[in-house]
Amino acid sequence: MFERFHADAQQAVVHAQHEATVLRHDKIGTEHVLLGLLAQPGSVAARVLARHGLDHDTAGDAVTRALQSRTGDGAEDIDADALESIGIDLDAIRQKVEAAFGPGALDRDPRRPSRRLGGHIPFSPRAKKVLELSLREAINLGHNYIGDGHILLGLLREGDGLAARVMTEAGIDLTTLRQEIRAELN
Amino acid sequence: MSDTAQLAADAGSRDPAVGLRAVRALRILVERLEALQVDNAREQGWTWQEIAVLLGVTRQAVHKKHAGGRGLLRRER
């Protein structure tokens, strides 16, 4: 289906892959797709989202926050209080380790591959669904190509992923957003 | 001294919830440090045998545990 993707939509997918790599995630989720769209400021999706105050940096922060608060996803937090109860100062350890190995060195889950440079990261089932829905959105609009705007419509149609949550939490009304994108695409 | 006394009391806590949480946190910390140090040693050209000796385990054990995440032939987990 990628052959129907316009250059901007392809770029969004490439950026999504990059976002997942940088964040050391092992799947491309809807949040990476959203960040991929926002990585191209001139695109339809990024312009419409910018009108609602959502840019790449804002969305990136929101994604990081959401993932930190989600338990069981990513590296497990080391329980500093529990260590303190046996006389171990986690902050002191963290300071020394980060001095030698860089920020976040202690927060990586060793069981996850941490060096995926250039490696292929698969789409999550939800992100895959988003891409399929973007095709359907394009067909609904009578378009014979998939642009980045259609991908954003796909994200909205899917509606349950982290991307939708980030947009909702940014105070964006998804129905309004949907109408605006469709207007831009017509 | 009262801080020390408090820590000593906690460390010897008979409350399993306190003690077990501490053990779990310590284990995660140890795993992270081990992965970091083994990666670092490999990057500096240490052999698995040399690493194993200092960790006090067999070469096979350290290789099985850490070799998967590195290099061209790394396994996907």
Side-chain angles (χ1 to χ4, degrees):
Chain A
M1 84 188 256
F2 284 111
E3 67 277 1
R4 294 227 219 167
F5 276 51
H6 262 191
D8 50 13
Q10 280 175 12
Q11 274 307 307
V13 172
V14 171
H15 282 302
Q17 164 115 13
H18 177 71
E19 300 287 348
T21 309
V22 169
L23 292 166
R24 295 166 179 275
H25 295 161
D26 54 7
K27 291 262 163 46
I28 301 175
T30 61
E31 68 274 25
H32 306 113
V33 174
L34 176 65
L35 290 172
L37 291 171
L38 288 168
Q40 309 177 85
S43 66
V44 174
R47 275 190 284 120
V48 175
L49 286 167
R51 291 212 289 264
H52 291 272
L54 193 67
D55 62 15
H56 185 269
D57 287 355
T58 319
D61 289 348
V63 167
T64 309
R65 270 199 310 275
L67 291 176
Q68 274 168 354
S69 64
R70 190 192 279 182
T71 53
D73 192 280
E76 188 175 2
D77 282 341
I78 305 174
D79 190 336
D81 293 341
L83 288 176
E84 207 185 315
S85 79
I86 52 171
I88 295 172
D89 183 350
L90 180 61
D91 283 341
I93 296 171
R94 189 185 299 279
Q95 223 169 42
K96 285 197 195 293
V97 169
E98 292 194 346
F101 296 104
L106 209 51
D107 301 315
R108 272 168 229 143
D109 190 333
R111 284 159 308 195
R112 289 183 156 215
S114 60
R115 288 177 183 73
R116 265 192 187 269
L117 297 176
H120 175 74
I121 304 179
F123 284 97
S124 72
R126 216 192 282 279
K128 233 180 249 174
K129 180 90 183 154
V130 165
L131 296 182
E132 285 162 17
L133 289 170
S134 67
L135 172 64
R136 197 171 312 168
E137 294 289 342
I139 292 169
N140 278 345
L141 286 162
H143 297 160
N144 62 358
Y145 69 95
I146 297 170
D148 68 286
H150 301 111
I151 298 182
L152 183 50
L153 286 175
L155 278 174
L156 294 172
R157 174 73 72 186
E158 198 282 329
D160 278 333
L162 184 48
R165 211 175 98 201
V166 166
M167 290 188 276
T168 308
E169 281 174 9
I172 301 175
D173 179 67
L174 300 190
T175 314
T176 311
L177 182 65
R178 188 177 164 73
Q179 286 159 359
E180 288 178 10
I181 304 158
R182 285 176 66 97
E184 286 273 341
L185 287 171
N186 267 321
Chain B
M1 284 303 281
S2 69
D3 279 358
T4 315
Q6 181 59 44
L7 279 179
D10 284 346
S13 176
R14 300 270 306 189
D15 179 356
V18 174
L20 292 173
R21 268 181 66 200
V23 170
R24 178 178 176 183
L26 198 51
R27 181 167 36 217
I28 296 169
L29 177 61
V30 167
E31 291 294 326
R32 299 278 166 83
L33 287 175
E34 183 177 311
L36 262 179
Q37 293 297 347
V38 170
D39 275 7
N40 181 48
R42 290 294 293 169
E43 265 160 29
Q44 295 192 24
W46 284 45
T47 65
W48 292 111
Q49 181 61 47
E50 288 166 335
I51 294 168
V53 166
L54 286 192
L55 283 179
V57 296
T58 64
R59 186 186 64 80
Q60 287 86 348
V62 73
H63 185 267
K64 186 175 177 203
K65 186 166 175 188
H66 295 286
R70 300 182 42 76
L72 290 172
L73 297 175
R74 95 183 162 218
R75 286 192 310 264
E76 291 292 335
R77 292 256 214 164

